[in-house]
Amino acid sequence: MAEQIAIDQLDRDIMRLLQEDGRRSFREIARVLETSEGTVRSRVRRLKDAEVLRFLALVDPSALGQSMLVVVMVHLHPGHHDDVVAALVDLPEVGYVATAFGRCDLILEVLATSSEEAWDFVNHRLRTLEGVDRVEPTTILKVHKYKYEPNFI
């Protein structure tokens, strides 16, 4: 991880505009914020180098035939956390892995094309991983809002 950097209001404004449209040109951002294109370019480079800002595309899985989203709470046997996480992040079906406190040890998001594929993943790939104690899968029926924008920018 890169070192932490100070973030000022101009940095926040640049990030806010890029969140609205990640393909927005530096020239347009500079015009909106009344600064130079070079300033925007150097600020974005600094934010990227510090791993504060990343560019990625969000794809709607249902448009690609992966119409099932399964959220799985995973309970682990003590001492197996790192090995299970390492195994899960390498699986193509798993789109999200997070360590949690509370009801479970890990939370996963799994994409599947059918209930049979989801069943196979949970029962034959996930439950059989060494260190997994038990799993609590939940099928997401409909996503009403998906927004990955921190409110503090």
Side-chain angles (χ1 to χ4, degrees):
M1 178 181 259
E3 71 178 72
Q4 197 167 7
I5 62 169
I7 306 294
D8 65 13
Q9 189 58 48
L10 181 58
D11 293 325
R12 292 178 193 285
D13 292 343
I14 291 168
M15 288 188 288
R16 181 180 41 79
L17 290 171
L18 286 170
Q19 281 185 316
E20 292 171 5
D21 180 0
R23 295 179 48 132
R24 186 173 285 178
S25 72
F26 293 158
R27 176 177 287 148
E28 181 183 347
I29 293 169
R31 183 186 54 75
V32 169
L33 299 179
E34 298 179 347
T35 191
S36 73
E37 185 176 345
T39 296
V40 172
R41 184 180 327 284
S42 66
R43 293 289 185 112
V44 168
R45 184 180 317 114
R46 183 176 62 87
L47 293 167
K48 284 175 57 181
D49 290 347
E51 299 177 4
V52 172
L53 181 64
R54 290 188 307 159
F55 290 92
L56 46 111
L58 294 176
V59 177
D60 181 356
S62 63
L64 302 175
Q66 291 180 304
S67 56
M68 289 197 69
L69 176 60
V70 181
V71 174
V72 186
M73 291 188 289
V74 181
H75 304 264
L76 302 174
H77 292 292
H80 288 83
H81 175 273
D82 293 348
D83 292 336
V84 173
V85 168
L88 291 171
V89 298
D90 286 338
L91 298 177
E93 303 91 339
V94 178
Y96 177 84
V97 179
T99 298
F101 285 130
R103 260 181 81 164
C104 62
D105 299 303
L106 300 174
I107 298 173
L108 315 178
E109 285 186 0
V110 178
L111 288 172
T113 58
S114 64
S115 56
E116 292 81 16
E117 187 177 285
W119 170 262
D120 183 64
F121 175 83
V122 169
N123 287 295
H124 299 114
R125 298 189 71 192
L126 181 57
R127 283 192 168 123
T128 59
L129 285 175
E130 184 177 346
V132 171
D133 180 28
R134 72 181 198 281
V135 299
E136 296 179 44
T138 302
T139 302
I140 303 301
L141 299 176
K142 181 176 175 78
V143 176
H144 300 280
K145 180 179 181 178
Y146 182 81
K147 180 180 178 182
Y148 188 76
E149 295 179 17
N151 294 329
F152 52 83
I153 294 181

